[in-house]
Amino acid sequence: MTDSTQANWHNEPTDYEQPGKLPRSRSALNEGSLGSLNILAAATDPELLDLPWHLALEEWPAENLAALPRGISRHIVRFAHLGGSVIAVKETSEHIARHEYHMLRKLQRLDVPCVEPVAVISGRKSLDGADLNPVLVTRHLKFSMPYRALFSQMLRKDTLTRLIDAQALLLVRLHLIGFYWGDVSLSNTLFRRDAGAFAAYLVDAETGELYPELSNGQREYDLEIARVNIAGELMDLAEGGLIEEKVDPLATSELIMDSYRRLWAELTEQESFELGERWRVNARIRRLNELGFDVEEYAIKTVSETSQIQLQPKVVDAGHHSRRLIRLTGIDAQENQARRLLNDMDAYRADNNPGVDEEISAHQWVAHVFEPIVRAVPRELGGKLEPAEVVHEVLEHRWYMSEKQDRNVPLAEAVQSYLDSVLRHRRDEAAIMLTADTKTMDIITGSNDS
């Protein structure tokens, strides 16, 4: 990623619109209304200039907006089209916008799941010369959803548990790199489906700070903020009848404490064992790999008085299965998706190419399994789920079909059955459109700031 650049784009006012006279063209209209803008961006995108920065976000015309779920927020947020993508635009102060922009860029460099910062735009003025709030622009994460938009009817208890587990994993990853969030909540997180689970992405970083290392007090305070915020969010859902009656908001919010502490302990705690149990070194590393983490360094200390070994993981890095999948196939997937695809790839090699090099067999698996499934999805269904999730679901569907029919169902037959009986009935998760019932959608979607 290139270093940020700052540009001051100025256009002298022209005849924007006079009584009885139509604007000359849309480009002329925008050129006449840009005024003097200060744009801080990693890479200047000229299409940013096509947006109506002379208007407060609340006044942006529908033709500029993307119909994505939007809930209550402490900031004014709008989704807008930018070329072939969608951006989130948030009005805030210049100091907060710049802080969040730089923080998101640092998190991206550290390979933490978060939204991509696009620009900070200040110096906005209305046509009558009134100052308008600066904005932070981020790129909308495709196939992601705010937690309340995951289910339009009712959020089930097991789904809530999976969301909270994903939130706990995200918080652990942030704390491992020294990031203090300060406003942990489901509302400030986006979720993507990940092979039956969810992957969580940080959305709002305006209260975040990056340190060389977090103290136990900082971590515990972040965790307490998460517990309190999640409890409040679940109470709101319960009041709106959007979660099962058997769900206890307070007890459910405690799950993030347990999930976080179990994972943190597995990743960081020192382990002692006898010299004759040295196999436990590899066992510990395998457990970390199964959790999706790589151990880049660890310290082993022998204690002569007790003939013991002390093992301490020093540096852990998330994305073990994702990195292996990319290395073998070039496919970029979420961690659980990658684990599922790798399992099928290994089974394919055992059945078809037991003596073939792993990389060669992996490319054959892509050609005979992954790509045929992806190509079989009709264009009109392409926005339902991301390709890796579709392949995972097809493999699961094929397994259940084979078990039910007590035969090895051919892949092509399983794909067609999945398309007809499952995928056609799924919502489009590339971009969940607003329904005509705006009030209902506002209840469902929840709030996030970008």
Side-chain angles (χ1 to χ4, degrees), residues 66-340:
L68 291 174
R70 186 182 68 248
I72 299 172
S73 169
R74 61 177 173 269
H75 298 287
I76 303 298
V77 179
R78 294 293 183 268
F79 294 102
H81 295 286
L82 182 69
S85 65
V86 174
I87 57 172
V89 186
K90 175 172 72 174
E91 282 187 341
T92 183
S93 71
E94 184 169 0
H95 171 75
I96 290 177
R98 286 175 175 269
H99 173 80
E100 186 168 5
Y101 171 84
H102 289 298
M103 193 57 61
L104 288 172
R105 292 203 67 210
K106 289 177 182 177
L107 293 177
Q108 281 210 315
R109 285 195 290 268
L110 292 169
D111 200 28
V112 171
C114 63
V115 293
E116 176 190 349
V118 175
V120 174
I121 300 178
S122 57
R124 300 171 61 223
K125 291 184 180 293
S126 65
L127 292 178
D128 59 7
D131 290 331
L132 298 176
N133 288 330
V135 297
L136 171 69
V137 182
T138 57
R139 204 170 303 280
H140 177 67
L141 184 64
K142 195 174 182 181
F143 293 104
S144 69
M145 296 167 288
Y147 75 104
R148 297 192 192 190
L150 286 167
F151 294 90
S152 59
Q153 301 272 326
M154 180 177 291
L155 210 58
R156 293 178 290 116
K157 184 176 181 178
D158 62 337
T159 303
L160 278 174
T161 301
R162 286 182 288 151
L163 290 178
I164 291 173
D165 284 344
Q167 183 88 56
L169 175 58
L170 175 61
L171 190 56
V172 165
R173 292 188 63 177
L174 291 169
H175 286 176
L176 284 171
I177 65 165
F179 181 80
Y180 171 78
W181 195 340
D183 194 13
V184 191
S185 68
L186 296 175
S187 298
N188 284 335
T189 310
L190 287 173
F191 296 91
R192 296 173 75 174
R193 297 190 185 276
D194 187 11
F198 292 98
Y201 288 74
L202 180 145
V203 176
D204 191 326
E206 69 176 49
T207 57
E209 294 290 346
L210 200 57
Y211 298 93
E213 185 177 354
L214 295 184
S215 67
N216 288 338
Q218 287 173 310
R219 292 193 301 104
E220 287 296 321
Y221 190 63
D222 237 1
L223 198 53
E224 178 63 15
I225 290 173
R227 185 189 67 81
V228 172
N229 283 344
I230 290 173
E233 290 164 334
L234 297 186
M235 288 178 184
D236 288 342
L237 287 176
E239 186 175 345
L242 295 175
I243 56 177
E244 295 176 326
E245 292 184 2
K246 64 182 179 181
V247 173
D248 181 341
L250 293 178
T252 304
S253 70
E254 297 282 348
L255 295 177
I256 193 169
M257 313 284 281
D258 297 335
S259 182
Y260 174 95
R261 288 185 175 132
R262 283 196 305 270
L263 183 55
W264 185 264
E266 185 65 61
L267 295 174
T268 63
E269 280 190 357
Q270 180 176 283
E271 182 178 5
S272 298
F273 47 87
E274 300 297 327
L275 282 171
E277 299 178 308
R278 282 171 290 181
W279 56 270
R280 290 174 61 178
V281 175
N282 288 330
R284 177 77 180 272
I285 293 173
R286 282 197 300 270
R287 291 202 308 271
L288 293 173
N289 290 163
E290 281 302 306
L291 290 170
F293 289 83
D294 280 329
V295 179
E296 294 183 358
E297 179 182 338
Y298 59 87
I300 295 179
K301 180 181 179 181
T302 59
V303 183
S304 57
E305 295 82 1
T306 59
S307 299
Q308 283 190 333
I309 292 177
Q310 294 179 347
L311 172 65
Q312 175 72 63
K314 302 295 288 185
V315 179
V316 290
D317 190 23
H320 170 77
H321 299 95
S322 296
R323 281 191 292 275
R324 183 186 169 210
L325 185 65
I326 288 178
R327 177 175 60 82
L328 290 173
T329 68
I331 297 170
D332 190 4
Q334 307 290 341
E335 183 65 13
N336 288 321
Q337 292 169 346
R339 181 189 287 108
R340 178 66 183 87

Side-chain angles (χ1 to χ4, degrees), residues 4-10 36-41 44 98 120-122:
S4 294
T5 57
Q6 185 168 349
N8 188 303
W9 294 340
H10 179 74
S36 181
L37 294 178
N38 293 308
I39 300 180
L40 173 67
T44 302
R98 286 175 175 269
V120 174
I121 300 178
S122 57

Side-chain angles (χ1 to χ4, degrees), residues 52 54-62 64-65 76 78 91 126 132:
H54 62 289
L55 298 175
L57 282 185
E58 289 182 303
E59 301 172 2
W60 276 27
N64 293 116
L65 301 179
I76 303 298
R78 294 293 183 268
E91 282 187 341
S126 65
L132 298 176

Side-chain angles (χ1 to χ4, degrees), residues 47-63:
E47 291 181 322
L48 281 172
L49 298 178
D50 294 333
L51 296 173
W53 301 116
H54 62 289
L55 298 175
L57 282 185
E58 289 182 303
E59 301 172 2
W60 276 27
E63 63 194 64

Side-chain angles (χ1 to χ4, degrees), residues 67 69 152 427 432-442 444:
S152 59
R427 292 184 303 172
I432 303 176
M433 306 303 288
L434 287 171
T435 64
D437 186 352
T438 306
K439 181 178 179 181
T440 301
M441 182 54 76
D442 282 342
I444 293 170

Side-chain angles (χ1 to χ4, degrees), residues 340 394-404 414:
R340 178 66 183 87
V394 166
L395 296 176
E396 291 291 294
H397 187 74
R398 183 188 187 190
W399 187 88
Y400 284 115
M401 284 182 67
S402 298
E403 184 181 51
K404 183 178 180 180

